[in-house]
């Protein structure tokens, strides 16, 4: 197994998070590709772990923290580390050291780029990126927002701990309609999936439901809202991780619509 930089021939599978077999990934649309095209020349780094046959089993993506959902200076931020763990498609690559090798390669790379440290998000629940996994790899908590821990590993003594950028505003409801607001960065297909399900449900439920998209890959929009990915039905946020099913999103909007 080795860790390599993302090359043009891997871009398609990277944009599908190595899950070309998954209908859900397709449902998430092309947002990740759009996000990638925008960020590839803005400091985004992507590495893949490939096995002895050259098959990619895992990936890590990180960028300067100044472009991430956290505030900090001179650090890099891991948006996502992912080792394919399903039987389908290319199969299960977990527990073979790919995750550890990817994180270690990202740390070496960030150091070589002059970064003062690496930060990452981790959750305290047993899904997605677990904070405990980073703790095991020498990271400690710099901040917390709900179940989202902000972990970091400083490389130098002058490194300052990062902090979450916090939500700054909420959408407002409007008389005579249901407003569904989707904030979307595009880098995570799981988030894009929720966004696209909400868009579809809003369209199906007719003209009294309005879907509004806020593209937070625009830094000014992200800073205005203080959130990168979220779904609101009028002023109420719908928890988007793990991704709610289409019927649940549609049901929530339909209930609001009935009350108009
Ligand atoms: C966290 C994650 C990246 C770890 O990947 P991984 O490749 O399985 O990690 P490693 O193989 O380096 O380590 C995992 C375990 O396997 C063990 N292991 C590593 N190589 C091994 C080997 N050859 N034989 C047996 N066990 C091994 C490690 O000791 C480690 O054990 P631990 O869990 O007790 O610490 C992976 O579980 C993952 O992708 N999780 C989901 C993260 C996610 O949701 N990302 C998307 C966010 S948008």
């Amino acid at each position: 197994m080795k860790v390599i930089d993302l090359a043009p021939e891997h871009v398609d599978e990277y944009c599908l998070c190595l899950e070309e077999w998954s209908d859900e990934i397709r449902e998430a649309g092309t947002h990740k590709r759009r996000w990638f095209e925008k960020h590839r020349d803005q400091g985004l780094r992507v590495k893949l772990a490939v096995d002895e046959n050259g098959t990619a089993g895992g990936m890590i993506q990180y960028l300067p923290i100044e472009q991430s959902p956290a505030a900090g200076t001179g650090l890099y931020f891991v948006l996502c580390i992912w080792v394919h763990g399903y039987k389908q498609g290319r199969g299960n690559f977990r527990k073979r050291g790919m995750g550890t090798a990817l994180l270690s390669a990202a740390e070496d790379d960030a150091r070589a780029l002059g970064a003062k440290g690496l930060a990452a998000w981790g959750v305290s629940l047993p899904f997605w990126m677990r904070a405990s996994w980073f703790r095991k790899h020498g990271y400690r908590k710099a901040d917390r927002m709900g179940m989202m821990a902000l972990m970091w590993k400083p490389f130098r003594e002058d490194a300052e701990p990062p902090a979450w950028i916090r939500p700054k505003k909420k959408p407002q409801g409007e008389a005579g309609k249901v407003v569904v607001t989707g904030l979307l960065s595009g880098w995570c297909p799981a988030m894009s999936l929720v966004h696209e399900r909400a868009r579809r449900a809003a369209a199906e439920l007719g003209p009294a439901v309005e879907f509004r998209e806020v593209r937070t890959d625009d830094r000014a929009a992200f800073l205005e809202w203080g959130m990168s990915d979220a779904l609101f039905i009028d002023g109420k946020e719908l928890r988007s991780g793990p991704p709610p099913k289409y019927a649940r999103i549609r049901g929530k909007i339909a209930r609001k619509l009935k009350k108009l």
Side-chain angles (χ1 to χ4, degrees):
M1 185 262 294
K2 60 181 178 181
V3 175
I4 59 168
D5 289 326
L6 183 76
E9 63 267 29
H10 294 298
V11 169
D12 287 348
E13 55 188 333
Y14 157 73
C15 286
L16 297 172
C17 295
L18 314 179
E19 288 183 40
E20 49 285 300
W21 54 270
S22 158
D23 291 340
E24 289 205 331
I25 284 282
R26 299 200 181 278
E27 206 184 332
T30 54
H31 296 291
K32 185 169 175 190
R33 185 172 287 274
R34 173 181 52 77
W35 176 88
F36 171 68
E37 297 296 342
K38 181 167 179 175
H39 287 82
R40 64 192 308 172
D41 299 323
Q42 293 179 26
L44 171 68
R45 312 285 289 179
V46 181
K47 290 186 185 291
L48 302 176
V50 295
D51 70 4
E52 44 295 337
N53 303 316
T55 304
M59 52 183 244
I60 187 165
Q61 52 185 12
Y62 48 103
L63 41 60
I65 198 163
E66 291 79 359
Q67 294 176 42
S68 81
T73 313
L75 309 172
Y76 269 74
F77 181 90
V78 180
L79 280 175
C80 172
I81 179 166
W82 171 249
V83 173
H84 193 267
Y86 299 103
K87 280 195 207 131
Q88 295 99 317
R90 59 195 66 211
N92 186 353
F93 284 84
R94 293 210 180 152
K95 294 195 183 285
R96 297 195 207 169
M98 280 191 168
T100 300
L102 284 163
L103 188 61
S104 166
E107 288 174 7
D108 291 348
D109 185 39
R111 267 200 190 89
L113 290 163
K116 294 180 180 180
L118 195 58
W121 61 274
V123 292
S124 38
L125 300 172
F127 59 84
W128 273 355
M129 303 208 300
R130 297 180 196 187
S132 59
W133 191 78
F134 287 100
R135 205 170 300 121
K136 223 180 247 175
H137 286 86
Y139 286 66
R140 50 187 203 250
K141 193 167 64 188
D143 197 5
R144 168 173 288 284
M145 191 165 52
M147 64 171 187
M148 297 276 281
L150 177 57
M151 310 299 289
W152 81 308
K153 183 190 267 189
F155 302 152
R156 296 178 5 191
E157 286 209 339
D158 62 345
E160 299 275 350
W164 283 126
I165 293 171
R166 289 178 155 71
K168 294 195 180 114
K169 70 173 197 181
K170 269 189 180 180
Q172 300 297 318
E174 267 183 44
K177 59 168 108 162
V178 178
V179 179
V180 178
T181 308
L183 278 74
L184 183 73
S185 61
W187 66 262
C188 177
M191 301 295 179
S192 304
L193 171 70
V194 177
H195 189 82
E196 288 307 318
R197 283 180 178 166
R199 188 205 301 279
R200 186 152 59 91
E204 267 184 30
L205 287 165
V209 181
E210 187 182 327
F211 184 77
R212 292 181 187 161
E213 180 175 87
V214 179
R215 290 268 178 99
T216 55
D217 59 343
D218 171 44
R219 190 73 186 163
F222 165 67
L223 291 172
E224 181 189 336
W225 287 79
M227 286 175 274
S228 62
D229 291 274
L231 180 65
F232 290 89
I233 300 171
D234 289 336
K236 196 166 183 318
E237 186 170 3
L238 188 75
R239 214 165 119 168
S240 51
K245 298 239 181 296
Y246 174 74
R248 184 172 139 77
I249 298 173
R250 193 183 194 280
K252 290 249 176 206
I253 303 171
R255 274 196 287 285
K256 272 274 177 191
L257 192 58
K258 257 193 177 165
K259 287 189 193 152
L260 281 184

